[in-house]
Amino acid sequence: MNTVSIILEELQNLASQIKQKEIESICDSLLKARHIFVVGAGRSGFCARGFSNRLMHLGFEVSFVGEPTTPRLLKDDLLIIASGSGKTASLVSMANKAKEVGATIATLTINPKATIGQMATSIVTIPGTTRLLGEENTKAVSKQPIGSAFEQLLWLTFDAIISVLMEKTNQQPEDLIHRHANLE
């Protein structure tokens, strides 16, 4: 079996542990939010940035945290945090700020019992491992570098959320194309 097939088989096995009801819960939070803020650090941040772009394609008011055009977080807003460990210091700080202003927090994480998960109202638990070995509550075993399976499943889960939102907002791929960048 080739390496790509091994990785795909691993991801399929791990993906079966992701609960659809958790995806639906985040979708409900997204649909209620005045403005959506998306954040992640490191490679998880790359996945989160792609997700914020897709939300914009769907017509949501969305900002990726850290960009100069990111507005102020307010009470009726949603902060979505992508964090494998659920305890990255900078992301915990942002979750604390969101709690302080009364915003809603959602997270996609390996460790829902970690600090960020304790503050979130919507959680999608994604199996995987992080560099903080032995601290996750997961049965994930991977032949890939630490974090890769989580990040790959994070990307796929973000796309699954977009697919559910497309259905809930009655949008087709053509609708998203009209919001796609034309200054490339």
Side-chain angles (χ1 to χ4, degrees):
M1 182 179 277
N2 73 35
T3 308
V4 173
S5 295
I6 291 168
I7 291 170
L8 288 173
E9 184 176 315
E10 176 180 296
L11 291 177
Q12 185 158 2
N13 290 332
L14 293 172
S16 69
Q17 297 175 41
I18 298 172
K19 296 178 176 76
Q20 185 66 26
K21 71 178 181 175
E22 293 178 350
I23 289 172
E24 296 286 341
S25 176
I26 280 193
C27 288
D28 292 343
S29 295
L30 284 157
L31 290 166
K32 292 176 191 170
R34 180 195 71 86
H35 193 97
I36 301 158
F37 293 80
V38 182
V39 69
R43 289 168 43 123
S44 297
F46 294 135
C47 299
R49 187 179 295 272
F51 178 61
S52 66
N53 184 246
R54 284 290 185 218
L55 288 171
M56 181 273 298
H57 290 158
L58 278 172
F60 287 92
E61 291 293 323
V62 61
S63 298
F64 186 79
V65 176
E67 295 297 322
T69 56
T70 302
R72 182 179 196 89
L73 179 73
L74 300 172
K75 184 179 186 285
D76 293 329
D77 295 336
L78 172 65
L79 175 63
I80 297 183
I81 303 172
S83 176
S85 71
K87 56 188 177 181
T88 303
S90 61
L91 302 177
V92 169
S93 176
M94 290 179 205
N96 282 322
K97 176 55 89 176
K99 276 289 194 199
E100 183 181 305
V101 302
T104 302
I105 300 168
T107 189
L108 293 90
T109 185
I110 295 168
N111 193 354
K113 294 181 180 175
T115 308
I116 295 168
Q118 294 298 313
M119 291 188 267
T121 55
S122 297
I123 301 170
V124 175
T125 304
I126 298 177
T129 58
T130 71
R131 61 184 170 79
L132 306 172
L133 289 175
E135 297 186 20
E136 304 89 12
N137 183 14
T138 182
K139 295 179 181 164
V141 176
S142 180
K143 295 183 182 206
Q144 300 182 69
I146 294 170
S148 289
F150 169 74
E151 293 142 3
Q152 292 157 355
L153 285 172
L154 179 62
W155 195 281
L156 293 172
T157 303
F158 278 145
D159 278 349
I161 291 167
I162 294 299
S163 293
V164 170
L165 289 171
M166 285 178 68
E167 185 175 316
K168 287 181 180 278
T169 60
N170 198 31
Q171 294 191 62
Q172 302 301 315
E174 306 81 52
D175 299 316
L176 281 66
I177 291 169
H178 292 291
R179 295 183 199 101
H180 197 282
N182 62 359
L183 295 175
E184 297 180 296

